[in-house]
């Protein structure tokens, strides 16, 4: 990968997209630094795919601009943008083997057969699929198909790789394995990835920058640590999980569920207990609201608590994060 490639940035300026009366993307501004792993996170229908498709050039914005590096790519066709997209369903050609699937974009660009075969084999090696090179998609597992799809997207040497829910078709075990590989690949290549997901955990695990979207707008963009510890809104605190949103004295604030201490006896009641391995999750009905508390397993078993036990809850004032 060349130097110029690793210096490019993506800028979205006042980007909007409507479908009839639906505002899919509502005037968003976003900057993604070179070499960053960006995760766009949000519930179904919040405009993640529409944003990605506009960056890729598969959808034309109603207004706004898209700049990659120093080039305004807003009006350019997909193949000329320096972006590549990996789709949720992989969209591999069923009648082509791995080599020809990966080499397809090179064929379209008129690269001669021996050269494109050589490049495709190198790419298959990079995504650990060299051994299966002669197989067709129907003869591959979901994870293997995904590797081929990745290779096919990366063969064009994009400045930016766009991934729309790339892990959602995989079983939970494979999802975690592939997520580690995606991150490693991104670091090796040194290009920016924009990865759309509705999984908070996935976004937190992968991202240098998390962009939380809601109803076509960006609610918050920042490093995972900051978004988690300083959610900007009630929506972010609830969506990102791990927080209790509490209303008290005309104020709304978030408290992390692992920052609340449980003491025996009091006017709250344990409604439910879930053992999660390292931690135990307690659902607790306090007089005002229902709260979630996560305790370390050793802390829990010092109890141990049972459903129906009366308890009281405590947290440090410093762990209250006021929300807008
Ligand atoms: N081609 C389309 N035609 C009409 N409405 C669409 C189209 N694509 C997306 N939408 C609508 O735009 C909104 C955002 O969709 P989308 O970007 O796919 O959300 P997400 O990927 O976050 O689930 C949704 O209300 C969706 O129904
Ligand atoms: Mg989508």
């Amino acid at each position: 990968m060349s130097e110029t490639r690793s210096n490019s940035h993506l800028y979205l300026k006042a980007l909007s997209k409507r479908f009839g009366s639906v505002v899919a993307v509502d005037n968003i501004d976003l900057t993604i630094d070179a070499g960053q792993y960006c995760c766009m996170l949000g519930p179904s229908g919040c405009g993640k795919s529409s944003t990605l498709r506009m960056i890729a050039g598969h959808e034309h914005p109603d207004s706004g601009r898209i700049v990659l590096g120093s080039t305004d790519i807003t009006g350019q066709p997909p193949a000329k943008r320096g972006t590549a997209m990996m789709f949720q369903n992989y969209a591999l050609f069923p009648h082509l083997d791995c080599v020809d699937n990966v080499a397809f974009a090179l064929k379209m660009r008129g690269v001669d057969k021996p050269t494109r075969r050589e490049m495709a084999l190198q790419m298959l090696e990079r995504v650990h699929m060299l051994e299966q090179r002669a197989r067709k998609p129907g003869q591959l597992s979901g994870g293997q198909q995904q590797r081929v799809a990745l290779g096919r997207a990366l063969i064009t040497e994009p400045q930016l790789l766009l991934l729309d829910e790339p892990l959602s078709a995989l079983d939970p075990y494979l999802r975690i394995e592939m997520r580690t590989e995606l991150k490693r690949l991104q670091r090796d290549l040194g290009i920016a990835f924009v990865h759309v997901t509705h999984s908070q955990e996935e976004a937190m695990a992968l991202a240098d920058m998390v962009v939380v979207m809601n109803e076509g707008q960006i609610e918050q963009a920042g490093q995972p640590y900051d978004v988690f510890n300083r959610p900007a809104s009630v929506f972010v605190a609830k969506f990102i999980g791990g927080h209790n949103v509490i209303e008290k004295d005309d104020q709304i604030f978030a408290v992390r569920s692992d920052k609340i201490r449980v003491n025996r006896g009091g006017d709250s009641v344990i409604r439910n207990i879930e053992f999660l391995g390292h931690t135990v999750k307690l659902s607790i009905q306090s007089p005002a609201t229902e709260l979630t508390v996560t305790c370390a397993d050793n802390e829990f078993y010092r109890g141990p608590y049972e459903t129906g036990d009366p308890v009281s809850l405590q947290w440090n004032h410093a762990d209250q994060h006021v929300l807008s």
Side-chain angles (χ1 to χ4, degrees):
M1 297 283 143
S2 69
E3 283 306 310
T4 48
R5 194 164 286 131
S6 63
N7 287 330
S8 57
H9 298 52
L10 178 74
Y11 301 101
L12 307 181
K13 299 271 186 208
L15 203 63
S16 290
K17 180 71 191 173
R18 283 175 169 277
F19 296 101
S21 60
V22 176
V23 183
V25 178
D26 190 3
N27 196 33
I28 63 170
D29 293 313
L30 184 66
T31 303
I32 297 172
D33 288 342
Q36 275 204 323
Y37 204 119
C38 171
C39 283
M40 300 193 75
L41 175 66
S44 183
C46 73
K48 306 181 296 295
S49 294
S50 301
T51 304
L52 210 65
R53 291 171 58 78
M54 286 192 281
I55 300 169
H58 298 304
E59 205 77 77
H60 197 73
D62 293 324
S63 55
R65 291 198 308 136
I66 303 167
V67 180
L68 186 60
S70 50
T71 312
D72 188 323
I73 59 168
T74 318
Q76 289 188 359
K80 294 258 156 71
R81 295 187 163 214
T83 61
M85 179 120 162
M86 199 184 107
F87 297 94
Q88 190 170 359
N89 56 8
Y90 312 139
L92 295 172
F93 299 112
H95 58 288
L96 298 182
D97 68 13
C98 294
V99 175
D100 287 341
N101 260 292
V102 170
F104 186 76
L106 300 176
K107 189 177 179 184
M108 291 293 101
R109 289 174 185 200
V111 177
D112 67 77
K113 192 163 182 176
T115 307
R116 63 180 196 251
R117 185 174 168 82
E118 185 50 38
M119 289 172 74
L121 290 173
Q122 278 176 21
M123 183 53 74
L124 284 168
E125 187 169 20
R126 172 151 235 166
V127 296
H128 309 297
M129 283 297 294
L130 197 53
E131 223 172 283
Q132 297 87 349
R133 60 188 172 276
R135 292 206 213 156
K136 291 179 180 169
Q139 300 166 309
L140 301 172
S141 71
Q144 291 171 332
Q145 288 181 40
Q146 190 195 42
R147 290 167 194 274
V148 177
L150 258 176
R152 196 179 62 169
L154 290 170
I155 197 93
T156 59
E157 299 199 348
Q159 299 176 42
L160 179 68
L161 182 66
L162 307 164
L163 308 106
D164 196 351
E165 309 240 5
L167 304 175
S168 60
L170 305 176
D171 64 62
Y173 178 78
L174 206 52
R175 201 177 296 154
I176 289 171
E177 194 181 290
M178 280 308 295
R179 139 181 132 188
T180 310
E181 276 197 46
L182 276 180
K183 181 83 179 183
R184 195 174 299 147
L185 193 62
Q186 187 266 340
R187 284 224 193 88
D188 286 353
L189 294 167
I191 61 171
F193 279 22
V194 182
H195 172 139
V196 158
T197 177
H198 57 258
S199 160
Q200 307 83 300
E201 191 197 313
E202 195 171 298
M204 291 290 162
L206 280 170
D208 300 309
M209 176 164 75
V210 179
V211 178
V212 185
M213 286 188 74
N214 181 30
E215 297 186 345
Q217 298 184 339
I218 293 174
E219 288 265 339
Q220 190 171 5
Q223 292 176 11
Y225 180 88
D226 289 331
V227 173
F228 187 72
N229 283 297
R230 287 185 283 282
S233 63
V234 171
F235 175 84
V236 175
K238 286 187 173 167
F239 192 78
I240 226 84
H243 291 84
N244 291 284
V245 175
I246 300 168
E247 253 187 285
K248 211 167 106 186
D249 309 329
D250 289 335
Q251 235 187 14
I252 303 181
F253 54 85
V255 183
R256 277 171 49 164
S257 61
D258 59 338
K259 299 288 187 189
I260 300 179
R261 290 183 301 279
V262 180
N263 302 306
R264 203 167 275 292
D267 56 3
S268 299
V269 178
I270 297 179
R271 290 282 181 226
N272 196 38
I273 297 172
E274 287 178 16
F275 176 63
L276 302 176
H278 298 125
T279 59
V280 181
K281 180 179 157 191
L282 308 174
S283 305
I284 296 175
Q285 183 68 54
S286 79
T289 179
E290 179 152 334
L291 298 171
T292 299
V293 177
T294 319
C295 14
D297 60 343
N298 56 350
E299 193 186 322
F300 176 80
Y301 287 111
R302 223 183 301 133
Y305 295 102
E306 282 180 39
T307 307
D309 281 356
V311 292
S312 56
L313 304 176
Q314 250 187 327
W315 58 84
N316 297 336
H317 189 74
D319 291 325
Q320 276 187 201
H321 173 77
V322 177
L323 300 169
S324 61

